[in-house]
Amino acid sequence: MPGGCLEDPQTTVHFYSLSKWINNWRFELQNWALWALDLANNPEDRLATHCLVIELERRPNPPNQSLYFQMHSGDIMTRESFLARMRALDKLNDEFVSRVNERRSNDTAQIIVTCEDLVRLLWFSLRDGGASLRQRDPAFSRALSDDWERKLIEAINTGQPASSSV
């Protein structure tokens, strides 16, 4: 439902549940985005061209809010690649394309969370413009980015953000 409105009560409930979940996980998602983007080993415009994409699905009969969703995949993608994927699924409109392509700067990261028919775009800026992450030891930065998807899936699917600590 990129760029669309909330069409029915079920979708509205799903949208607000996803919003609450994102608010609870926001800090962790921001950390994982920075680790996965591996800024020390990539060009300075990495944040302007790439985003973290997280694909969720609703968990049947979740025991609590932190377990309402489970992650089945994630990727670092260019915005163009993400839009191509959405185009293939016939889920694009002009407003959505312009929101995904919005370029804020080289110090602003984008996270895209998809869950069934919903897509949420999250943006956050780095306090020092990303300098500390770009100047980080490249081997350390690469180690943080290695296997990030599996580790984030584990953290989200267990409902324990602390398990994503590095």
Side-chain angles (χ1 to χ4, degrees):
M1 185 177 80
C5 60
L6 302 179
E7 298 157 354
D8 62 67
Q10 191 95 9
T11 302
T12 301
V13 168
H14 180 49
F15 176 83
Y16 286 111
S17 296
L18 181 60
S19 294
K20 282 179 141 180
W21 184 90
I22 287 171
N23 284 337
N24 288 337
W25 281 85
R26 184 175 307 273
F27 180 72
E28 291 298 320
L29 296 177
Q30 290 172 349
N31 282 334
W32 279 101
L34 296 175
W35 296 332
L37 284 159
D38 189 15
L39 297 181
N41 293 298
N42 285 286
E44 189 168 326
D45 70 345
R46 176 87 160 162
L47 296 179
T49 60
H50 288 73
C51 53
L52 174 69
V53 178
I54 297 172
E55 296 185 26
L56 304 173
E57 59 191 11
R58 285 183 271 196
R59 183 187 306 265
N61 305 313
N64 60 53
Q65 186 176 327
S66 67
L67 290 170
Y68 195 76
F69 297 97
Q70 52 193 9
M71 181 177 166
H72 61 83
S73 67
D75 201 358
I76 298 296
M77 301 179 79
T78 64
R79 288 179 176 81
E80 292 79 17
S81 298
F82 175 75
L83 289 172
R85 182 190 306 176
M86 293 290 103
R87 190 173 294 108
L89 298 172
D90 197 28
K91 294 189 176 204
L92 287 184
N93 65 40
D94 291 342
E95 178 188 351
F96 182 70
V97 170
S98 69
R99 286 181 22 209
V100 169
N101 278 330
E102 183 179 328
R103 300 208 184 235
R104 300 206 175 177
S105 70
N106 287 345
D107 70 346
T108 303
Q110 182 180 36
I111 301 171
I112 300 175
V113 178
T114 67
C115 185
E116 299 159 22
D117 285 343
L118 297 177
V119 178
R120 294 288 310 275
L121 306 177
L122 311 171
W123 298 88
F124 66 98
S125 295
L126 307 179
R127 288 188 183 162
D128 65 355
S132 60
L133 296 170
R134 289 183 185 93
Q135 295 167 3
R136 179 180 275 167
D137 174 51
F140 180 70
S141 183
R142 189 172 300 104
L144 288 175
S145 71
D146 284 347
D147 205 23
W148 69 266
E149 181 189 24
R150 183 189 62 77
K151 293 172 185 173
L152 182 56
I153 287 172
E154 179 183 335
I156 288 173
N157 291 354
T158 60
Q160 299 178 12
S163 69
S164 68
S165 299
V166 173

